[in-house]
Coordinates of all heavy atoms in Angstrom, one line a residue:
M290 N 73.5 96.1 -146.9 CA 73.4 94.5 -147.4 C 73.5 93.6 -146.1 O 74.5 93.8 -145.3 CB 74.6 94.3 -148.3 CG 74.5 92.9 -148.9 SD 73.3 92.6 -150.2 CE 73.9 93.6 -151.5
R291 N 72.5 92.7 -146.0 CA 72.6 91.9 -144.9 C 73.5 90.8 -145.2 O 74.0 90.4 -146.2 CB 71.2 91.3 -144.8 CG 70.1 92.2 -144.5 CD 68.8 91.6 -144.1 NE 67.7 92.7 -144.1 CZ 66.9 93.0 -145.0 NH1 66.9 92.3 -146.1 NH2 66.0 94.0 -144.9
P292 N 73.9 90.1 -144.0 CA 75.0 89.0 -144.1 C 74.4 87.9 -145.1 O 73.3 87.7 -145.2 CB 75.1 88.5 -142.7 CG 74.5 89.5 -141.9 CD 73.4 90.2 -142.8
Y293 N 75.4 87.4 -145.7 CA 75.1 86.3 -146.7 C 74.6 85.1 -146.0 O 75.1 84.7 -144.9 CB 76.4 85.8 -147.7 CG 76.0 85.1 -148.8 CD1 75.0 85.7 -149.7 CD2 76.8 84.1 -149.2 CE1 74.8 84.9 -150.9 CE2 76.6 83.4 -150.4 CZ 75.6 83.9 -151.1 OH 75.3 83.1 -152.2
I294 N 73.7 84.3 -146.5 CA 73.0 83.2 -145.7 C 73.5 81.7 -146.1 O 72.8 80.9 -145.6 CB 71.4 83.3 -145.8 CG1 71.1 83.4 -147.3 CG2 71.0 84.7 -145.1 CD1 69.6 83.3 -147.3
R295 N 74.3 81.7 -147.2 CA 74.6 80.4 -147.7 C 75.2 79.5 -146.4 O 76.0 80.1 -145.6 CB 75.7 80.5 -148.6 CG 76.1 79.1 -149.1 CD 77.1 79.1 -150.2 NE 76.5 79.6 -151.4 CZ 77.3 79.9 -152.5 NH1 78.5 79.9 -152.6 NH2 76.5 80.3 -153.5
G296 N 74.8 78.4 -146.2 CA 75.3 77.5 -145.1 C 74.3 77.4 -143.9 O 74.3 76.6 -143.1
K297 N 73.5 78.4 -143.9 CA 72.6 78.4 -142.8 C 71.5 77.4 -143.1 O 70.9 77.3 -144.1 CB 71.9 79.8 -142.6 CG 72.8 80.9 -141.9 CD 72.2 82.1 -141.6 CE 71.6 81.9 -140.2 NZ 71.0 83.4 -139.8
K298 N 71.0 76.7 -142.1 CA 70.1 75.6 -142.3 C 68.6 76.2 -142.5 O 67.8 75.6 -143.1 CB 70.2 74.6 -141.1 CG 71.4 73.6 -141.2 CD 71.2 72.4 -140.6 CE 72.1 71.3 -140.9 NZ 73.5 71.7 -140.4
S299 N 68.3 77.1 -141.6 CA 67.1 77.8 -141.9 C 67.2 79.3 -141.6 O 68.2 79.7 -140.9 CB 66.1 77.2 -140.8 OG 66.6 77.6 -139.5
F300 N 66.3 79.9 -142.3 CA 66.4 81.5 -142.2 C 65.0 82.1 -142.4 O 64.1 81.4 -143.0 CB 67.5 82.1 -143.3 CG 67.2 81.7 -144.6 CD1 66.5 82.3 -145.4 CD2 67.8 80.5 -145.2 CE1 66.1 82.0 -146.7 CE2 67.6 80.1 -146.4 CZ 66.7 80.9 -147.2
T301 N 65.0 83.3 -142.2 CA 63.7 84.1 -142.5 C 63.9 85.0 -143.6 O 65.1 85.3 -143.8 CB 63.2 84.9 -141.1 OG1 64.1 85.9 -140.9 CG2 63.2 84.0 -139.9
F302 N 62.8 85.4 -144.1 CA 63.0 86.4 -145.4 C 63.8 87.7 -144.8 O 64.4 88.3 -145.7 CB 61.7 86.7 -145.8 CG 61.2 85.7 -146.9 CD1 60.1 85.1 -146.8 CD2 62.1 85.5 -147.9 CE1 59.6 84.2 -147.7 CE2 61.7 84.6 -148.9 CZ 60.4 83.9 -148.9
D303 N 63.7 88.0 -143.7 CA 64.3 89.2 -143.1 C 65.8 89.1 -143.2 O 66.6 90.2 -143.3 CB 64.0 89.5 -141.7 CG 62.5 90.1 -141.6 OD1 62.0 90.6 -142.6 OD2 62.0 90.1 -140.5
E304 N 66.3 87.8 -143.3 CA 67.8 87.6 -143.4 C 68.2 87.6 -144.7 O 69.5 87.5 -145.0 CB 68.1 86.3 -142.7 CG 67.9 86.3 -141.1 CD 68.2 85.0 -140.5 OE1 67.3 84.2 -140.5 OE2 69.2 84.8 -139.9
V305 N 67.4 87.5 -145.7 CA 67.8 87.3 -147.1 C 68.5 88.7 -147.5 O 67.8 89.7 -147.3 CB 66.6 87.0 -148.0 CG1 67.0 87.1 -149.5 CG2 66.1 85.7 -147.6
P306 N 69.5 88.5 -148.3 CA 70.2 89.8 -148.7 C 69.2 90.7 -149.7 O 68.4 90.0 -150.4 CB 71.4 89.4 -149.5 CG 71.6 88.0 -149.1 CD 70.2 87.4 -148.7
E307 N 69.3 91.9 -149.6 CA 68.5 92.7 -150.4 C 69.0 92.6 -151.9 O 70.1 92.3 -152.0 CB 68.6 94.2 -149.9 CG 67.9 94.4 -148.7 CD 68.5 95.7 -148.0 OE1 69.4 96.3 -148.6 OE2 68.1 95.8 -146.9
N308 N 68.2 92.7 -152.8 CA 68.6 92.5 -154.3 C 69.6 93.6 -154.5 O 69.7 94.7 -154.0 CB 67.4 92.5 -155.2 CG 66.5 93.8 -155.0 OD1 66.7 94.5 -154.2 ND2 65.5 93.8 -155.8
T309 N 70.4 93.3 -155.5 CA 71.6 94.1 -155.7 C 71.6 95.3 -156.5 O 72.3 96.2 -156.4 CB 72.8 93.2 -156.2 OG1 72.4 92.5 -157.2 CG2 73.2 92.2 -155.0
S310 N 70.8 95.2 -157.5 CA 70.9 96.2 -158.5 C 69.5 96.6 -159.2 O 69.4 97.2 -160.2 CB 71.8 95.8 -159.7 OG 71.3 94.6 -160.1
F311 N 68.3 96.2 -158.5 CA 67.1 96.7 -159.2 C 67.0 98.2 -159.2 O 67.3 98.9 -158.3 CB 66.0 96.1 -158.2 CG 64.6 96.5 -158.9 CD1 64.0 95.6 -160.0 CD2 63.8 97.5 -158.5 CE1 62.9 95.9 -160.3 CE2 62.7 97.8 -159.0 CZ 62.0 97.0 -160.0
E312 N 66.6 98.6 -160.4 CA 66.6 100.0 -160.7 C 67.9 100.6 -160.4 O 68.0 101.8 -159.8 CB 65.4 100.7 -160.0 CG 64.1 100.4 -160.6 CD 62.9 100.9 -160.1 OE1 63.2 101.7 -159.0 OE2 61.8 101.0 -160.7
A313 N 69.0 99.9 -160.9 CA 70.3 100.4 -160.8 C 70.9 100.9 -159.4 O 71.7 101.8 -159.2 CB 70.5 101.6 -161.9
G314 N 70.3 100.1 -158.4 CA 70.7 100.3 -157.0 C 72.3 100.2 -156.9 O 72.9 101.0 -156.1
Y315 N 72.9 99.2 -157.6 CA 74.2 99.1 -157.4 C 75.0 99.1 -158.7 O 76.3 99.4 -158.8 CB 74.5 97.7 -156.6 CG 74.2 97.7 -155.2 CD1 73.1 97.6 -154.8 CD2 75.2 98.2 -154.4 CE1 72.6 97.7 -153.4 CE2 74.9 98.4 -153.0 CZ 73.5 98.1 -152.6 OH 73.3 98.2 -151.3
L316 N 74.5 98.8 -159.9 CA 75.1 98.8 -161.1 C 75.0 100.2 -161.5 O 74.2 101.0 -161.3 CB 74.4 97.9 -162.2 CG 74.5 96.4 -161.9 CD1 73.7 95.5 -162.9 CD2 76.0 95.8 -161.7
T317 N 76.1 100.6 -162.4 CA 76.1 102.0 -162.8 C 75.9 102.3 -164.3 O 75.6 103.3 -164.7 CB 77.5 102.6 -162.4 OG1 78.4 101.8 -163.1 CG2 77.7 102.7 -160.9
S318 N 75.8 101.3 -165.0 CA 75.5 101.4 -166.6 C 74.6 100.4 -167.1 O 74.7 99.2 -166.5 CB 76.8 101.6 -167.4 OG 77.6 100.4 -167.2
V319 N 73.8 100.6 -167.9 CA 72.9 99.7 -168.6 C 73.7 98.6 -169.1 O 74.6 98.9 -169.9 CB 71.9 100.4 -169.6 CG1 71.1 99.4 -170.3 CG2 71.0 101.4 -168.8
N320 N 73.3 97.3 -169.0 CA 74.2 96.2 -169.6 C 73.2 95.3 -170.4 O 73.7 94.1 -170.5 CB 75.0 95.5 -168.4 CG 73.9 94.9 -167.4 OD1 72.8 95.0 -167.5 ND2 74.5 94.1 -166.5
S321 N 72.0 95.6 -170.7 CA 71.2 94.7 -171.4 C 71.2 94.7 -172.9 O 70.5 94.1 -173.5 CB 69.8 95.0 -170.7 OG 69.3 96.3 -171.2
G322 N 72.2 95.5 -173.5 CA 72.1 95.7 -175.0 C 72.3 94.5 -175.7 O 71.8 94.4 -176.9
W323 N 73.0 93.5 -175.2 CA 73.3 92.3 -176.0 C 72.2 91.1 -175.7 O 72.4 90.0 -176.2 CB 74.7 91.7 -175.7 CG 75.1 91.8 -174.2 CD1 75.6 92.7 -173.6 CD2 74.7 90.7 -173.2 NE1 75.7 92.4 -172.1 CE2 75.2 91.2 -172.0 CE3 74.2 89.5 -173.3 CZ2 75.0 90.4 -170.9 CZ3 74.0 88.7 -172.3 CH2 74.4 89.2 -171.0
R324 N 71.3 91.3 -174.9 CA 70.3 90.3 -174.6 C 69.4 90.0 -175.8 O 69.1 90.8 -176.6 CB 69.4 90.9 -173.5 CG 68.4 89.8 -173.0 CD 67.5 90.5 -171.9 NE 66.7 91.6 -172.4 CZ 66.6 92.8 -171.7 NH1 67.0 92.9 -170.4 NH2 65.9 93.8 -172.3
S325 N 69.2 88.6 -176.0 CA 68.5 88.1 -177.3 C 67.2 87.7 -176.8 O 66.2 87.5 -177.7 CB 69.4 87.0 -178.0 OG 69.5 86.0 -177.1
V326 N 67.0 87.4 -175.6 CA 65.6 86.9 -175.1 C 65.4 87.7 -173.9 O 66.4 87.9 -173.0 CB 65.5 85.4 -174.9 CG1 65.3 84.6 -176.2 CG2 66.6 84.7 -174.1
R327 N 64.1 87.9 -173.4 CA 63.8 88.4 -172.2 C 62.7 87.7 -171.4 O 61.9 87.2 -172.0 CB 63.4 89.9 -172.5 CG 62.1 90.1 -173.1 CD 61.4 91.4 -173.1 NE 62.4 92.5 -173.3 CZ 62.2 93.9 -173.0 NH1 61.1 94.1 -172.4 NH2 63.0 94.8 -173.4
P328 N 62.9 87.8 -170.1 CA 61.8 87.2 -169.3 C 60.6 88.0 -169.2 O 60.6 89.3 -169.0 CB 62.4 86.9 -168.0 CG 63.4 88.0 -167.8 CD 63.9 88.3 -169.3
V329 N 59.3 87.5 -169.4 CA 58.1 88.2 -169.3 C 57.3 87.6 -168.2 O 57.0 86.3 -168.3 CB 57.4 88.2 -170.7 CG1 56.0 88.9 -170.5 CG2 58.2 88.9 -171.8
I330 N 57.0 88.3 -167.2 CA 56.2 87.8 -166.2 C 54.6 87.9 -166.4 O 54.2 89.0 -166.8 CB 56.5 88.5 -164.8 CG1 58.0 88.3 -164.5 CG2 55.6 88.0 -163.7 CD1 58.5 89.1 -163.3
N331 N 54.0 86.7 -166.2 CA 52.5 86.8 -166.3 C 52.1 87.1 -164.8 O 52.0 86.4 -164.0 CB 52.0 85.4 -166.7 CG 50.5 85.5 -166.9 OD1 49.7 86.2 -166.2 ND2 50.0 84.6 -167.7
S332 N 51.7 88.4 -164.7 CA 51.4 88.8 -163.2 C 50.0 88.2 -162.7 O 49.9 88.2 -161.5 CB 51.2 90.4 -163.3 OG 50.3 90.8 -164.1
A333 N 49.3 87.8 -163.7 CA 48.1 87.1 -163.3 C 48.4 85.9 -162.6 O 47.6 85.3 -161.7 CB 47.1 86.9 -164.4
K334 N 49.4 85.1 -163.0 CA 49.8 83.8 -162.4 C 50.8 84.1 -161.2 O 50.8 83.1 -160.4 CB 50.6 83.0 -163.6 CG 49.6 82.3 -164.5 CD 50.5 81.7 -165.6 CE 50.3 80.2 -165.7 NZ 51.1 79.6 -166.7
C335 N 51.6 85.1 -161.2 CA 52.7 85.3 -160.1 C 52.0 85.2 -158.8 O 50.9 86.0 -158.5 CB 53.3 86.6 -160.5 SG 54.5 86.9 -159.2
V336 N 52.5 84.5 -157.9 CA 51.9 84.4 -156.6 C 52.9 85.2 -155.5 O 52.7 85.0 -154.4 CB 51.7 83.2 -156.0 CG1 50.5 82.3 -157.0 CG2 52.9 82.2 -156.1
G337 N 53.9 85.7 -156.1 CA 54.9 86.4 -155.2 C 55.7 85.7 -154.3 O 56.0 86.2 -153.1
C338 N 56.0 84.5 -154.6 CA 56.7 83.6 -153.8 C 58.1 84.0 -153.6 O 58.9 83.5 -152.7 CB 56.7 82.2 -154.3 SG 57.7 81.9 -155.8
E339 N 58.7 84.9 -154.4 CA 60.1 85.4 -154.2 C 61.2 84.6 -154.7 O 62.4 84.8 -154.6 CB 60.4 86.0 -152.8 CG 59.3 86.9 -152.4 CD 59.8 87.7 -150.9 OE1 60.7 87.3 -150.5 OE2 59.0 88.4 -150.6
Q340 N 60.9 83.4 -155.3 CA 62.0 82.5 -155.7 C 62.8 83.1 -156.8 O 64.0 83.1 -156.7 CB 61.4 81.2 -156.3 CG 60.8 80.3 -155.1 CD 61.8 80.0 -154.1 OE1 62.9 79.3 -154.3 NE2 61.6 80.5 -152.9
C341 N 62.1 83.7 -157.8 CA 62.9 84.4 -158.9 C 63.8 85.6 -158.4 O 64.9 85.7 -158.7 CB 61.9 84.9 -160.0 SG 60.7 86.1 -159.4
Y342 N 63.1 86.3 -157.5 CA 64.0 87.3 -156.8 C 65.1 86.8 -156.1 O 66.2 87.4 -156.2 CB 63.0 88.0 -155.7 CG 63.7 88.8 -154.6 CD1 64.1 90.0 -154.8 CD2 63.8 88.2 -153.4 CE1 64.7 90.7 -153.7 CE2 64.5 88.7 -152.4 CZ 64.8 90.1 -152.6 OH 65.6 90.7 -151.5
L343 N 65.1 85.7 -155.5 CA 66.2 85.1 -154.7 C 67.2 84.5 -155.7 O 68.3 84.6 -155.3 CB 65.6 83.9 -153.7 CG 64.9 84.4 -152.5 CD1 64.2 83.2 -151.9 CD2 65.8 85.1 -151.6
Y344 N 66.9 83.9 -156.7 CA 67.7 83.2 -157.7 C 68.4 84.2 -158.7 O 69.3 83.8 -159.3 CB 67.2 82.0 -158.3 CG 67.1 80.8 -157.2 CD1 66.1 80.6 -156.3 CD2 68.2 79.9 -157.2 CE1 66.1 79.6 -155.6 CE2 68.2 79.0 -156.4 CZ 67.2 78.6 -155.5 OH 67.3 77.7 -154.5
C345 N 67.7 85.2 -159.2 CA 68.3 86.1 -160.1 C 69.7 86.4 -159.9 O 69.9 87.0 -158.7 CB 67.4 87.3 -160.3 SG 68.2 88.4 -161.5
P346 N 70.7 86.0 -160.6 CA 72.1 86.3 -160.2 C 72.5 87.7 -160.4 O 73.4 88.2 -159.8 CB 72.9 85.5 -161.3 CG 71.9 85.3 -162.5 CD 70.6 85.4 -161.8
D347 N 71.6 88.6 -161.1 CA 72.0 90.0 -161.2 C 71.2 90.8 -160.2 O 71.3 92.1 -160.3 CB 71.8 90.5 -162.6 CG 72.8 90.0 -163.6 OD1 73.8 89.2 -162.9 OD2 72.8 90.1 -164.7
G348 N 70.3 90.2 -159.5 CA 69.5 91.1 -158.5 C 68.6 92.1 -159.2 O 68.5 93.2 -158.6
V349 N 68.0 91.6 -160.4 CA 67.2 92.8 -161.0 C 65.8 92.5 -160.9 O 65.0 93.1 -161.7 CB 67.7 92.8 -162.6 CG1 69.2 93.3 -162.6 CG2 67.4 91.6 -163.3
I350 N 65.4 91.5 -160.1 CA 63.9 91.3 -159.8 C 63.5 92.0 -158.4 O 64.3 91.7 -157.4 CB 63.6 89.8 -159.9 CG1 63.9 89.3 -161.3 CG2 62.1 89.5 -159.5 CD1 63.8 87.8 -161.5
A351 N 62.5 92.5 -158.4 CA 61.9 93.2 -157.1 C 60.5 92.5 -156.9 O 59.8 92.1 -157.9 CB 61.9 94.5 -156.9
I352 N 59.9 92.5 -155.7 CA 58.6 92.1 -155.5 C 57.9 93.4 -155.2 O 58.3 94.1 -154.2 CB 58.4 91.1 -154.4 CG1 59.4 89.9 -154.5 CG2 57.0 90.7 -154.2 CD1 58.9 89.0 -155.8
Q353 N 56.9 93.7 -155.9 CA 56.1 95.1 -155.7 C 54.7 94.7 -155.7 O 54.2 94.1 -156.7 CB 56.4 96.0 -156.8 CG 57.9 96.6 -156.7 CD 58.2 97.6 -157.8 OE1 57.4 97.8 -158.7 NE2 59.4 98.2 -157.7
D354 N 54.0 95.1 -154.6 CA 52.6 94.8 -154.4 C 52.3 93.2 -154.6 O 51.3 92.8 -155.2 CB 51.8 95.6 -155.4 CG 51.9 97.1 -155.2 OD1 52.0 97.5 -154.0 OD2 51.8 97.8 -156.1
G355 N 53.2 92.5 -154.1 CA 53.0 91.0 -154.1 C 53.2 90.3 -155.5 O 53.1 89.2 -155.5
K356 N 53.9 91.1 -156.5 CA 54.2 90.6 -157.7 C 55.7 90.8 -158.2 O 56.1 91.8 -157.8 CB 53.2 91.1 -158.8 CG 51.7 91.0 -158.6 CD 51.3 89.6 -158.8 CE 49.7 89.6 -158.6 NZ 49.2 88.3 -158.8
A357 N 56.3 89.8 -158.9 CA 57.6 90.0 -159.3 C 57.6 91.1 -160.5 O 56.8 91.1 -161.3 CB 58.2 88.9 -159.7
V358 N 58.6 92.0 -160.5 CA 58.8 92.8 -161.5 C 60.4 92.9 -161.9 O 61.1 92.7 -160.9 CB 58.5 94.3 -161.3 CG1 56.9 94.4 -161.2 CG2 59.0 94.9 -159.9
I359 N 60.6 93.2 -163.1 CA 62.0 93.0 -163.6 C 62.5 94.4 -164.0 O 61.8 95.1 -164.8 CB 62.1 92.1 -164.6 CG1 61.8 90.6 -164.2 CG2 63.5 92.1 -165.4 CD1 61.6 89.5 -165.3
D360 N 63.8 94.7 -163.8 CA 64.4 96.0 -164.3 C 65.1 95.5 -165.5 O 66.2 94.9 -165.6 CB 65.4 96.4 -163.2 CG 66.2 97.7 -163.8 OD1 66.0 98.0 -164.9 OD2 66.7 98.3 -162.9
Y361 N 64.6 95.7 -166.7 CA 65.0 95.3 -168.0 C 66.3 96.1 -168.4 O 66.9 95.5 -169.3 CB 64.0 95.5 -169.1 CG 62.9 94.5 -169.1 CD1 61.6 94.8 -168.7 CD2 63.1 93.1 -169.2 CE1 60.5 93.9 -168.7 CE2 62.1 92.1 -169.1 CZ 60.7 92.6 -168.8 OH 59.8 91.6 -168.7
D362 N 66.6 97.1 -167.9 CA 67.8 97.7 -168.2 C 69.0 96.9 -167.7 O 70.1 97.1 -168.4 CB 68.0 99.1 -167.4 CG 67.2 100.2 -168.1 OD1 66.7 100.0 -169.2 OD2 67.0 101.3 -167.5
F363 N 68.8 96.2 -166.8 CA 70.0 95.3 -166.3 C 69.8 93.7 -166.4 O 70.8 93.0 -166.1 CB 70.3 95.8 -164.9 CG 70.7 97.1 -164.8 CD1 69.7 98.1 -164.4 CD2 72.0 97.6 -165.2 CE1 70.1 99.5 -164.4 CE2 72.3 98.9 -165.0 CZ 71.4 99.8 -164.7
C364 N 68.7 93.3 -166.7 CA 68.5 91.8 -166.8 C 69.3 91.4 -168.2 O 69.2 92.0 -169.1 CB 66.9 91.6 -167.1 SG 66.6 89.9 -167.9
K365 N 70.1 90.4 -168.0 CA 70.8 89.8 -169.0 C 70.2 88.7 -169.8 O 70.8 88.2 -170.9 CB 72.2 89.4 -168.6 CG 72.2 88.2 -167.6 CD 73.5 88.0 -166.9 CE 73.4 86.9 -165.8 NZ 74.7 86.8 -165.1
G366 N 69.0 88.3 -169.5 CA 68.4 87.3 -170.2 C 68.7 85.9 -170.1 O 68.6 85.0 -171.0
C367 N 69.3 85.5 -168.8 CA 69.9 84.3 -168.7 C 68.8 83.1 -168.5 O 69.0 82.0 -168.8 CB 70.8 84.2 -167.4 SG 69.9 84.5 -165.9
G368 N 67.6 83.6 -168.1 CA 66.5 82.5 -168.0 C 66.4 81.8 -166.7 O 65.5 80.9 -166.5
I369 N 67.3 82.2 -165.8 CA 67.2 81.4 -164.5 C 65.8 81.6 -163.8 O 65.3 80.7 -163.3 CB 68.3 81.8 -163.7 CG1 69.7 81.2 -164.2 CG2 68.2 81.3 -162.2 CD1 70.9 81.7 -163.5
C370 N 65.3 82.8 -163.9 CA 64.1 83.2 -163.2 C 62.9 82.2 -163.8 O 62.2 81.7 -163.1 CB 63.8 84.5 -163.3 SG 63.8 85.3 -165.0
A371 N 62.9 82.1 -165.1 CA 61.9 81.4 -165.8 C 62.0 79.8 -165.4 O 61.0 79.2 -165.1 CB 62.0 81.5 -167.4
K372 N 63.3 79.4 -165.1 CA 63.4 77.9 -164.8 C 63.0 77.7 -163.4 O 62.4 76.6 -163.0 CB 64.9 77.6 -164.9 CG 65.3 77.4 -166.3 CD 65.2 75.9 -166.7 CE 65.8 75.7 -168.1 NZ 65.2 74.4 -168.7
I373 N 63.3 78.6 -162.5 CA 63.0 78.6 -161.1 C 61.5 78.7 -160.7 O 61.1 78.2 -159.8 CB 63.9 79.3 -160.3 CG1 64.2 78.8 -158.9 CG2 63.3 80.9 -160.1 CD1 65.1 77.7 -159.0
C374 N 60.8 79.4 -161.5 CA 59.3 79.6 -161.2 C 58.5 78.4 -161.4 O 58.4 77.9 -162.5 CB 58.8 80.7 -162.1 SG 57.0 81.1 -161.8
R375 N 58.1 77.8 -160.3 CA 57.3 76.5 -160.4 C 56.0 76.5 -161.0 O 55.6 75.6 -161.5 CB 57.2 76.0 -158.9 CG 58.6 75.3 -158.5 CD 58.3 74.8 -157.0 NE 58.7 75.8 -156.1 CZ 58.7 75.5 -154.7 NH1 58.4 74.3 -154.3 NH2 58.8 76.5 -153.8
I376 N 55.4 77.8 -161.0 CA 54.1 77.7 -161.6 C 54.1 78.3 -162.9 O 53.2 78.7 -163.7 CB 53.0 78.7 -160.8 CG1 53.5 79.9 -160.6 CG2 52.9 77.9 -159.5 CD1 52.6 80.9 -159.9
K377 N 55.3 78.3 -163.6 CA 55.6 78.9 -165.0 C 55.0 80.2 -165.3 O 54.2 80.5 -166.2 CB 55.0 77.8 -165.9 CG 55.4 76.5 -165.7 CD 57.0 76.2 -166.0 CE 57.5 75.0 -165.7 NZ 58.8 74.9 -165.4
A378 N 55.0 81.2 -164.3 CA 54.6 82.5 -164.6 C 55.5 83.4 -165.4 O 55.2 84.5 -165.7 CB 54.3 83.2 -163.1
I379 N 56.7 82.8 -165.6 CA 57.7 83.7 -166.4 C 58.0 82.8 -167.7 O 58.3 81.6 -167.6 CB 59.1 83.8 -165.6 CG1 58.8 84.5 -164.3 CG2 60.0 84.7 -166.5 CD1 60.1 84.7 -163.5
E380 N 57.9 83.5 -168.9 CA 58.4 82.9 -170.0 C 59.4 83.8 -170.8 O 59.3 85.0 -170.6 CB 57.1 82.8 -171.0 CG 56.1 81.9 -170.5 CD 55.2 81.3 -171.6 OE1 55.3 81.5 -172.7 OE2 54.2 80.6 -171.3
M381 N 60.3 83.0 -171.5 CA 61.3 83.8 -172.2 C 60.9 84.1 -173.6 O 60.4 83.2 -174.4 CB 62.6 82.9 -172.2 CG 63.1 82.6 -171.0 SD 63.6 84.0 -169.8 CE 64.9 84.8 -170.6
E382 N 60.9 85.4 -174.0 CA 60.4 85.7 -175.3 C 61.6 86.4 -176.1 O 62.4 87.0 -175.5 CB 59.3 86.7 -175.3 CG 58.1 86.1 -174.5 CD 56.8 87.0 -174.7 OE1 57.0 88.2 -175.1 OE2 55.8 86.7 -174.1
A383 N 61.5 86.1 -177.3 CA 62.5 86.8 -178.2 C 62.6 88.3 -178.0 O 61.5 89.0 -177.9 CB 62.3 86.5 -179.7
E384 N 63.8 88.9 -177.9 CA 63.9 90.4 -177.8 C 63.5 91.0 -179.2 O 64.0 90.5 -180.3 CB 65.3 90.7 -177.5 CG 65.6 92.1 -177.0 CD 65.1 92.3 -175.6 OE1 65.3 91.7 -174.6 OE2 64.3 93.3 -175.6
R385 N 62.7 92.1 -179.0 CA 62.4 92.9 -180.2 C 63.2 94.2 -180.4 O 63.3 94.9 -179.2 CB 60.9 93.2 -180.2 CG 60.1 91.9 -180.2 CD 58.6 92.4 -180.3 NE 57.7 91.3 -180.0 CZ 57.2 91.1 -178.8 NH1 57.3 92.1 -177.8 NH2 56.5 90.1 -178.4
K386 N 63.9 94.3 -181.4 CA 64.8 95.5 -181.4 C 64.3 96.5 -182.6 O 63.8 96.1 -183.4 CB 66.2 95.0 -181.6 CG 66.7 94.3 -180.4 CD 68.0 94.4 -180.1 CE 68.4 93.6 -178.8 NZ 69.6 93.7 -178.5
Ligands
SF4_679 S1 59.0 82.6 -158.9 FE1 57.1 82.9 -160.2 S2 55.5 83.0 -158.8 FE2 57.4 83.3 -157.7 S3 57.5 85.5 -157.6 FE3 58.7 84.9 -159.2 S4 57.3 85.0 -161.1 FE4 56.1 85.1 -159.2
SF4_680 S1 66.7 86.3 -167.1 FE1 68.4 86.2 -165.6 S2 69.1 88.2 -165.1 FE2 67.1 88.4 -166.2 S3 65.7 88.6 -164.4 FE3 65.7 86.5 -165.0 S4 67.4 85.6 -163.7 FE4 67.6 87.8 -163.5

């Protein structure tokens, strides 16, 4: 894990901490059972700007081939990624069980 960057006035992407739990890198058990809504990424709109990756509090978003992807086993459905995406490439949809 790279050093935390809060407080630095400018930084490069190389200094940004790696995500914490994408595909269970750090979490050990699935925690998404209580989620009522889930973020759905429109990959045609996604430009890979990494904002959702940076702001997801659970570190469950990764950028693969220039597009954001979500690990649904660990996404808690908080909606922060949808709020932070400036081009509205993420929509929250009701969970289907
Ligand atoms: S914030 Fe939106 S455009 Fe940027 S990587 Fe995430 S989904 Fe894609
Ligand atoms: S809904 Fe919350 S936990 Fe799930 S990917 Fe978005 S920011 Fe991360």
